Amino acid sequence: MPPKWYWPIDMNEVPKIVVEPPGPRAMEIVKADSTLIMQSFGRWYPLVIRRGYGPVIEDVDGNLYIDFNAGIAVMNVGHSHPRIVEAIKRQAELFTHYSMTDFYYELIVKHASMLRDIVPISGDKRVFYTNSGTESIEGALKISRGHFRNQRPYVIAFLGAFHGRTYGSMALTASKPIQRFGFNPMLPNVIHVPYPYPYRCPFGRDLTEEECGEAVLGYMEDWIFGKLVDPSEVSAIFFEPVQGEGGYVVPPRNFIQGLRKMTDKYGILLVDDEVQSGFGRTGRWFAIEHFGVEPDIITMAKAIAAGLPLGAIVGRAGVMDLPRGSHANTFGGNPVALAAGIEVINIINEEDLLTNAQRVGEYIKRRFMEEMDRTELIGDVRGLGLMIGVELVRNRKTREYASKELEQVLLESFKRGVAVIGAGKSVIRIAPPLNIPMELAERAVDILIDVIRKVDRERVK
Ligand SMILES: Cc1ncc(COP(=O)(O)O)c(C=O)c1O
């Protein structure tokens, strides 16, 4: 069944460009922003949003775009879903805050019991609420080290990973040098190992996916545990089941399964960062379900509450055992965010958005794969559900990154009414709301492919 359309615009009129973007009102706001806001982040193009309608956004000059970003994998149930709007209003009239780490309210147990039912960890579980992805990672770091009462001071993370920007999570992050540049010293005892990026396997491009997964696991055993640190000193391995910022990289199945075997063998905790890949993004509740593995801890945020700041750490009860007084926060489990979060789970279930994500995701991937026969610029197409990466390369043989071409594709798509950004060095990152109708996905893909062909034709080879 196609997803229900609630919004007061005609889907057939989208995208609609009434003023060439960026329009005059957008430019005024961008100018004011540059004099008021620290510009420590890189925006891709001057999109100034005024309103959202499910999988569509409107800018301040009245242009309508198909949203292939979902506010960076946050708006999984689309913008301004009426059930979310209603839940927020209802809760705002009752109370908007009452510090859950000091007092109690019913929404906490209601939401936590719904989370318990969807999180792929069997047995008894416990939840800790946070306000963001980075705070979920910080908490998971404390839980991992704290669980072993500091007898296992090391943690392992992967090159290409993105886990956040605060000091603990930044120490795990390794997707671009600028994210760490100038901020040393980092949190100590974090060891980075290569990630099995099948298209660019760090152990040789000729390796198959499986061989690449094996090579990384072998490196960890032989070179990290064999030469650098005894595994009994490692508390946790943090990983993304699909690397997000790193380029929407899907690892081989044997790698994730091998990580589970390794962590079981050495008593290390396996921490699954689903901040970007969770909440239906990949067509399952959590991406790890594609690999048939259960982690010990899952971190989440982004899509959990339809844009309200909420995150969570969910883990096996035996692991979530920090002592009283050792970890808390003021805003975690905010009641308005929890009310929205309850509706997010209801909507994904009742509107069957996991099926829509699989169906539309397969279609989008197939279209770009077919296009590889026509356009040299596309080097690789990969993804699960609606977490899709299209990697652009200047040359298929050398796999030279096409970073400049990527920028051109994104800017031109924006001007034609498709809002989409990049990941990694030259990957188009496709992550629309999970309730995007097939017709809109088709229209957006038509535009993107047309733009890629144009950039391919006009580039200097
Ligand atoms: C996998 C992953 N972990 C953690 C984070 C950090 O989340 P936040 O930006 O909410 O701090 C992100 C953000 O993009 C992410 O993609």
Side-chain angles (χ1 to χ4, degrees):
M1 244 195 357
K4 205 165 159 194
W5 187 266
Y6 297 95
W7 299 277
I9 53 165
D10 182 355
M11 200 205 303
N12 294 317
E13 288 188 5
V14 182
K16 187 163 95 185
I17 299 299
V18 290
V19 184
E20 192 190 336
R25 182 75 189 120
M27 283 321 289
E28 261 175 55
I29 293 169
V30 168
K31 196 166 159 222
D33 181 289
S34 72
T35 65
L36 291 164
I37 303 299
M38 178 172 82
Q39 303 288 315
S40 61
F41 27 75
R43 282 131 161 181
W44 292 88
Y45 41 78
L47 170 61
V48 184
I49 181 167
R50 172 165 65 193
R51 238 193 116 159
Y53 311 87
V56 175
I57 42 179
E58 182 179 345
D59 76 9
V60 285
D61 294 289
N63 296 314
L64 291 173
Y65 305 82
I66 301 172
D67 185 7
F68 258 22
N69 297 318
I72 317 304
V74 169
M75 303 310 294
N76 287 11
V77 297
H79 301 274
S80 302
H81 193 295
R83 289 177 66 170
I84 300 284
V85 174
E86 181 51 34
I88 291 172
K89 280 188 187 162
R90 212 181 321 121
Q91 184 54 38
E93 283 174 356
L94 296 175
F95 67 103
T96 55
H97 172 76
Y98 214 74
S99 193
M100 75 151 278
T101 58
D102 292 278
F103 303 98
Y104 299 86
Y105 38 92
E106 193 176 358
L107 284 166
I108 301 165
V109 286
K110 191 162 177 206
H111 186 268
S113 65
M114 291 171 84
L115 261 189
R116 178 191 56 198
D117 293 344
I118 59 169
V119 160
I121 296 176
S122 44
D124 220 3
K125 282 159 260 188
R126 295 288 183 273
V127 179
F128 182 90
Y129 285 109
T130 70
N131 299 280
S132 64
T134 196
E135 196 196 335
S136 293
I137 295 293
E138 298 289 339
L141 269 169
K142 280 179 74 177
I143 291 164
S144 308
R145 283 180 169 166
H147 174 64
F148 296 108
R149 305 293 180 258
N150 229 9
Q151 295 307 298
R152 287 175 172 246
Y154 286 91
V155 295
I156 291 178
F158 292 92
L159 295 172
F162 187 90
H163 295 293
R165 306 265 194 183
T166 51
Y167 260 93
S169 65
M170 174 175 60
L172 300 180
T173 287
S175 72
K176 289 193 182 98
I178 188 68
Q179 293 155 349
R180 301 158 64 93
F181 187 83
F183 301 129
N184 276 292
M186 295 283 147
L187 183 76
N189 299 351
V190 175
I191 297 167
H192 281 100
V193 296
Y195 190 77
Y197 186 154
Y199 186 59
R200 299 180 181 279
C201 182
F203 292 96
R205 295 216 182 135
D206 299 338
L207 299 189
T208 63
E209 291 204 11
E210 297 268 302
E211 288 167 347
C212 189
E214 282 304 320
V216 172
L217 293 166
Y219 172 87
M220 291 171 79
E221 281 285 1
D222 297 347
W223 295 91
I224 302 297
F225 298 151
K227 312 264 182 219
L228 184 66
V229 57
D230 192 273
S232 68
E233 285 198 295
V234 178
S235 56
I237 297 180
F238 282 70
F239 75 102
E240 292 162 274
V242 178
Q243 277 194 342
E245 294 295 312
Y248 276 30
V249 179
V250 185
R253 198 178 154 81
N254 65 327
F255 169 69
I256 302 288
Q257 294 181 339
L259 274 187
R260 181 69 274 183
K261 278 198 200 113
M262 179 185 287
T263 47
D264 282 343
K265 179 170 151 199
Y266 297 123
I268 297 169
L269 299 176
L270 189 59
V271 183
D272 171 22
D273 182 354
E274 298 258 9
V275 167
Q276 187 149 177
S277 57
F279 275 86
R281 172 62 40 210
T282 66
R284 302 270 178 95
W285 276 107
F286 293 93
I288 188 97
E289 294 169 58
H290 291 275
F291 300 92
V293 158
E294 282 191 17
D296 298 298
I297 294 174
I298 298 188
T299 54
M300 54 195 90
K302 282 195 186 282
I304 185 171
L308 273 75
L310 183 70
I313 309 162
V314 184
R316 289 196 289 109
V319 168
M320 300 285 285
D321 62 354
L322 288 185
R324 206 179 160 86
S326 66
H327 195 58
N329 56 23
T330 297
F331 286 128
N334 172 273
V336 183
L338 287 178
I342 288 168
E343 278 315 305
V344 166
I345 297 176
N346 285 335
I347 292 166
I348 293 178
N349 271 330
E350 290 167 29
E351 301 191 5
D352 202 11
L353 297 190
L354 299 183
T355 307
N356 197 57
Q358 290 161 21
R359 202 171 61 97
V360 179
E362 280 312 310
Y363 167 79
I364 295 175
K365 251 191 349 196
R366 182 169 51 74
R367 286 287 309 278
F368 283 103
M369 280 173 177
E370 285 167 7
E371 186 58 22
M372 288 178 79
D373 292 338
R374 281 176 227 119
T375 319
E376 271 285 305
L377 200 52
I378 301 176
D380 191 36
V381 179
R382 55 189 179 243
L384 298 171
L386 282 170
M387 188 168 189
I388 299 169
V390 177
E391 180 148 355
L392 303 184
V393 287
R394 290 189 53 75
N395 179 314
R396 282 234 182 110
K397 246 207 192 107
T398 61
R399 301 187 188 177
E400 186 189 340
Y401 296 107
S403 308
K404 228 179 80 232
E405 290 80 357
L406 172 71
E407 279 179 24
Q408 289 166 349
V409 167
L410 302 179
L411 183 63
E412 184 69 21
S413 301
F414 161 61
K415 287 181 185 284
R416 293 185 50 181
V418 178
V420 63
I421 64 163
K425 282 197 163 181
S426 59
V427 180
I428 303 174
R429 172 202 310 223
I430 297 175
L434 309 182
N435 51 8
I436 188 166
M438 190 62 100
E439 304 94 285
L440 279 188
E442 270 177 46
R443 244 172 273 160
V445 171
D446 286 347
I447 292 173
L448 265 173
I449 286 180
D450 202 48
V451 169
I452 293 172
R453 285 183 190 170
K454 179 167 176 271
V455 170
D456 191 22
R457 266 195 319 272
E458 292 174 2
R459 73 195 165 114
V460 183
K461 291 189 190 165

